[in-house]
Amino acid sequence: MTLTQLQIFSRVAELQSFTHTAHRLGISQSAVSHAIKALEQELGVELFRRHQSQVELSDIGQQLLMRARTLLGVADTLQQEASDARGMKRGTLRIGSFGPTSSNRLLPRILEPFRRQHPGIEVHVDEGPDRQVIQWLDERRIDVGFVVLEQERFDTFALFNDQMVALLPAAHPLAAQPCVTLKALCDDPFILTDAGSQELVSRLFSSARLTPNVRYRCSQLLSTLEAVSRGDGVSVVAQASLPQTPDARYQVRPLSPRVGRDIGLAVLDQRQSTPATLAFIQLAQTLNLQRSGLI
């Protein structure tokens, strides 16, 4: 069993395709097939079920995937620690990011100086809903992820305090108010954004024993902004997720009482994090993002 075989196994499990794995890794499809076959023969189990052009993990393959990612993580840490001793000239950093808040506001501000300081570190960024970033951390598919705090099962590092705001059509009567209550938002059709802060918004109404009149669900914030701008309904979103350029088609008002949202970085175990991961976290904490004009 080799690390190369485990790397190919992990990537096939992620992409569910020998062909896509070969393209991603820059090797032939036959090399992928040979590596998986050799690993299955050595272990004496079938790791994948084949379905024409797609494959899916077998039950035992699911169990072994976590072990494989753990071993690959340890190997990566060893390589980066050796690289760190040489000045961190090489290595890989895998980052999980969610929504406009982290992908458009926070991440670029951190990556620019990080790349200047560590030009040899190859950075991979995966984007998805915040709950998927948490899943990626659990599965060891990423080294560090942006998360909404608190996350008790991870080692976390606070970066930025955001607030939730009401999003209203420009001509809505509530736009004349300095702030808006959750109860007032229950009188109109409500637009719920499935990505980003969906779970937090749902908890807010539930904790207040209120039920918004959810008429629309949008998978992206941009769709929510367009729906509100058309007058289809109202919504609650994170302020830092909104475009920095004002749009006269909708109005933003603070919630009353104020509802905060803390954003930070999370790792599965700080003690096992790679030098590149720790350098990224340290840099993010020194940038004082709260005072960087984000809101």
Side-chain angles (χ1 to χ4, degrees):
M1 183 187 308
T2 67
L3 287 176
T4 298
Q5 289 174 332
L6 293 179
Q7 289 169 341
I8 293 173
F9 166 58
S10 177
R11 190 53 61 92
V12 172
E14 175 188 346
L15 300 177
Q16 296 184 314
S17 168
F18 284 17
T19 302
H20 293 163
T21 297
H23 289 163
R24 182 71 64 87
L25 297 178
I27 59 178
S28 67
Q29 184 172 339
S30 62
V32 174
S33 300
H34 178 75
I36 296 301
K37 183 177 180 180
L39 190 57
E40 288 180 326
Q41 289 178 341
E42 182 175 350
L43 296 174
V45 296
E46 184 182 60
L47 297 173
F48 294 98
R49 301 187 186 95
R50 278 74 169 174
H51 301 288
Q52 296 180 349
S53 61
Q54 278 197 326
V55 295
E56 64 178 11
L57 282 167
S58 64
D59 292 340
I60 186 62
Q62 290 276 8
Q63 296 178 34
L64 295 178
L65 179 60
M66 293 297 294
R67 301 292 188 187
R69 284 176 171 160
T70 299
L71 289 173
L72 290 172
V74 171
D76 192 42
T77 300
L78 289 173
Q79 290 174 347
Q80 290 204 26
E81 286 179 346
S83 178
D84 189 37
R86 302 190 303 269
M88 210 188 303
K89 296 180 180 179
R90 295 173 53 192
T92 302
L93 175 62
R94 302 168 299 169
I95 304 170
S97 181
F98 71 90
T101 301
S102 59
S103 296
N104 298 344
R105 299 285 185 94
L106 299 176
L107 186 56
R109 294 172 186 266
I110 305 170
L111 277 184
E112 183 178 355
F114 182 83
R115 284 168 172 157
R116 287 199 307 267
Q117 294 177 22
H118 308 289
I121 300 297
E122 183 178 337
V123 178
H124 299 169
V125 179
D126 287 322
E127 295 180 283
D130 49 353
R131 57 184 176 274
Q132 189 165 34
V133 173
I134 291 172
Q135 180 181 340
W136 289 338
L137 282 167
D138 279 328
E139 295 175 349
R140 298 178 184 271
R141 286 179 54 178
I142 57 176
D143 302 307
V144 60
F146 288 91
V147 297
V148 178
L149 303 176
E150 291 287 329
Q151 299 290 340
E152 294 183 357
R153 68 180 184 274
F154 301 117
D155 290 335
T156 59
F157 310 85
L159 296 180
F160 175 69
N161 179 259
D162 193 9
Q163 67 172 319
M164 307 303 293
V165 294
L167 195 62
L168 309 166
H172 197 283
L174 290 176
Q177 304 296 323
C179 55
V180 177
T181 65
L182 289 176
K183 185 177 181 180
L185 294 174
C186 294
D187 296 332
D188 289 87
F190 194 85
I191 302 165
L192 186 63
T193 306
D194 284 340
S197 52
Q198 174 201 353
E199 295 179 8
L200 175 56
V201 172
S202 299
R203 286 200 306 269
L204 288 178
F205 282 99
S206 178
S207 299
R209 298 185 179 181
L210 296 170
T211 304
N213 183 19
V214 178
R215 294 281 187 88
Y216 306 94
R217 291 179 181 270
C218 299
S219 60
Q220 300 293 333
L221 176 66
L222 182 59
S223 301
T224 300
L225 294 176
E226 290 298 322
V228 172
S229 298
R230 290 193 303 267
D232 294 342
V234 299
S235 189
V236 172
V237 299
Q239 184 171 5
S241 69
L242 294 171
Q244 292 178 285
T245 303
D247 191 326
R249 298 179 303 159
Y250 59 80
Q251 293 293 315
V252 177
R253 294 292 180 269
L255 291 177
S256 177
R258 184 186 183 278
V259 178
R261 183 181 77 146
D262 291 321
I263 305 297
L265 292 170
V267 296
L268 199 57
D269 186 343
Q270 181 182 357
R271 296 168 299 179
Q272 297 180 11
S273 294
T274 66
T277 301
L278 296 177
F280 180 82
I281 293 171
Q282 183 179 17
L283 175 60
Q285 289 183 305
T286 61
L287 289 178
N288 199 358
L289 295 167
Q290 191 66 42
R291 298 182 181 178
S292 297
L294 288 167
I295 59 173

